[in-house]
């Protein structure tokens, strides 16, 4: 089955790529989750739109990715969230909250879908967060989760 990816799928491709997948994987997972659309001649025209949108939010090139990496690795991000006794959080920290905290700390704007949290962040402490800036460049920074007053 041929499909056009609308979002990045690990191990498969990036938005706008036309890929061949097994019928069940495409029909039962990728299409219902909104990760892809079926390939058609009309859908082929949407590829340009998808790639244009991706280019607007993507890091421009390898040099720019390395600049952003250097900027992130010198950054310590602090995030204050509601916590109960013993440092357990009410809920957990989401990638969107981390991206907002990076911007408030003076860092660059990031895509929350490229952020990799170390499991579920459900307690106060320091966490090492990784982000894939470019297919060849990954950066990591420290996230300090503290209890809000």
């Amino acid at each position: 089955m041929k499909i056009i990816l609308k979002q990045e799928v690990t191990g498969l491709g990036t938005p706008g790529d036309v890929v061949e997948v097994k019928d069940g994987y495409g029909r039962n997972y990728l299409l219902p989750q909104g990760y892809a659309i079926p390939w058609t001649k009309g859908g082929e025209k949407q590829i340009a739109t998808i790639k244009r949108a991706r280019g607007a939010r993507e890091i421009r090139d390898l040099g720019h990715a390395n600049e952003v990496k250097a900027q992130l690795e010198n950054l310590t991000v602090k995030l204050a969230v509601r916590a109960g006794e013993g440092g357990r959080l009410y809920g957990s920290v989401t990638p969107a909250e981390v991206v907002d905290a990076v911007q408030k700390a003076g860092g660059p704007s990031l895509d929350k879908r490229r952020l990799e949290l170390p499991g579920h962040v459900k307690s106060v402490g320091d966490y090492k967060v990784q982000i894939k800036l470019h297919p060849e460049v990954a950066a990591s920074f420290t996230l300090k989760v503290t209890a809000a007053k």
Side-chain angles (χ1 to χ4, degrees):
M1 167 182 237
K2 263 185 154 178
I3 56 168
I4 301 169
L5 295 176
K6 289 171 50 180
Q7 295 182 13
E8 183 169 339
V9 178
T10 307
L12 199 55
T14 57
D17 289 350
V18 177
V19 293
E20 184 79 30
V21 296
K22 297 215 175 194
D23 291 345
Y25 183 50
R27 192 174 47 247
N28 297 328
Y29 179 69
L30 295 173
L31 296 175
Q33 294 292 327
Y35 293 141
I37 55 174
W39 182 87
T40 60
K41 291 195 192 252
E44 192 77 35
K45 294 175 186 166
Q46 291 180 325
I47 291 176
T49 308
I50 292 170
K51 287 193 176 186
R52 211 174 19 252
R54 180 178 81 188
R57 72 171 175 265
E58 193 173 86
I59 305 249
R60 288 186 293 282
D61 58 7
L62 189 60
H64 186 239
N66 284 325
E67 287 175 23
V68 172
K69 178 181 178 181
Q71 193 177 10
L72 278 173
E73 296 202 336
N74 295 331
L75 199 64
T76 299
V77 180
K78 293 182 178 144
L79 182 62
V81 292
R82 288 185 47 210
E85 298 280 326
R88 271 193 68 84
L89 304 183
Y90 294 117
S92 63
V93 175
T94 64
E97 292 172 327
V98 174
V99 168
D100 290 341
V102 167
Q103 286 182 324
K104 287 179 185 168
S109 62
L110 303 171
D111 187 0
K112 68 181 180 186
R113 293 177 292 243
R114 296 184 178 270
L115 207 65
E116 296 174 10
L117 292 174
H120 296 289
V121 179
K122 293 189 174 200
S123 61
V124 173
D126 291 356
Y127 296 91
K128 200 75 165 164
V129 178
Q130 285 201 327
I131 183 160
K132 201 160 173 75
L133 298 169
H134 190 269
E136 301 168 17
V137 179
S140 61
F141 58 91
T142 304
L143 174 68
K144 289 184 184 279
V145 179
T146 59
K149 304 219 177 343

